Amino acid sequence: AAAVVHNALVFERTQEQAFKDALTGLANPRALQFQVARELARARRTSSPFSLILLDLDDFKTINDEHGHLAGDRALQEVAKVLQQTTRPYDTCIRYGGDEFVVLLPSCGRAEAEEQGRRVQEAVAAISLRTDSGNDIALRVSAGASAFPADGESYERLLARADRRMYRNKAESKTRGPFL
């Protein structure tokens, strides 16, 4: 019986690791595919809204180049903490890749998603990240939101729309400020 319990625990731990980003502890892109399919199916079945936010850590390459990859890792970890602290318990936060994150927002329309994006942007901007050499690093994220079904009925379409809005936010933040 002990061997069966041990094997079950190892299997469970391995399965959890397969869907988590090791650096941030957030879900990873593999989990994203599963979660989006589940949320879209639920939204279709219940005729309820579903939104997602795509976020990109601004000037991440500069952070790595000027302060080192450990500082870059810490910046990603801080953004992950903000996402976990500013989202609802049933939202899903994902490290999508590199310096990009996705937040899945069940039962949430686009206006609410955009407001959530602003809250995340403000919380990230408030982070005080100090390097080992005593330098402060200002963090900012650009964000774009999209909502089912108005912006698309597939994951790919929703992500493409959020991506366009995120890049527009990034461009606008250079002239008018960082928030959506």
Side-chain angles (χ1 to χ4, degrees), residues 5-177:
V5 170
H6 173 73
N7 287 343
L9 290 173
V10 168
F11 176 76
E12 187 177 316
R13 190 175 318 121
T14 302
Q15 194 171 22
E16 182 179 306
Q17 290 171 347
F19 291 107
K20 275 203 173 186
D21 175 64
L23 179 66
T24 63
L26 298 180
N28 65 19
R30 191 175 298 145
L32 174 64
Q33 298 294 326
F34 172 76
Q35 292 284 27
V36 167
R38 187 174 78 171
E39 291 302 334
L40 283 173
R42 184 199 54 74
R44 285 183 187 107
R45 186 177 66 251
T46 62
S47 297
S48 61
F50 163 69
S51 294
L52 65 82
I53 305 169
L54 179 63
L55 300 126
D56 181 79
L57 181 56
D58 294 343
D59 303 318
F60 182 63
K61 182 176 179 352
T62 303
I63 294 170
N64 279 332
D65 290 348
E66 293 181 7
H67 304 285
H69 290 279
L70 290 178
D73 287 351
R74 285 185 37 227
L76 293 170
Q77 290 167 334
E78 290 298 320
V79 171
K81 281 184 205 172
V82 163
L83 290 175
Q84 291 170 320
Q85 292 166 353
T86 60
T87 55
R88 303 170 299 185
Y90 50 89
D91 295 336
T92 304
C93 303
I94 298 115
R95 180 174 176 207
Y96 185 56
D99 61 343
E100 292 183 325
F101 298 86
V102 173
V103 180
L104 305 179
L105 303 162
S107 302
C108 183
R110 190 166 131 220
E112 291 173 278
E114 288 174 346
E115 180 57 34
Q116 176 62 32
R118 277 189 287 281
R119 282 194 297 271
V120 169
Q121 288 178 309
E122 291 169 359
V124 168
I127 294 171
S128 179
L129 185 64
R130 187 172 289 267
T131 66
D132 294 335
S133 59
N135 296 321
D136 288 325
I137 301 173
L139 299 180
R140 284 193 350 243
V141 290
S142 296
S146 63
F148 168 87
D151 291 320
E153 298 208 8
S154 70
Y155 162 67
E156 294 80 9
R157 183 77 177 133
L158 291 171
L159 190 64
R161 184 67 56 96
D163 190 52
R164 278 197 302 277
R165 290 179 177 141
M166 185 266 302
Y167 276 107
R168 184 175 24 203
N169 178 240
K170 187 179 289 289
E172 290 171 354
S173 74
K174 294 182 190 313
T175 59
R176 67 169 175 80

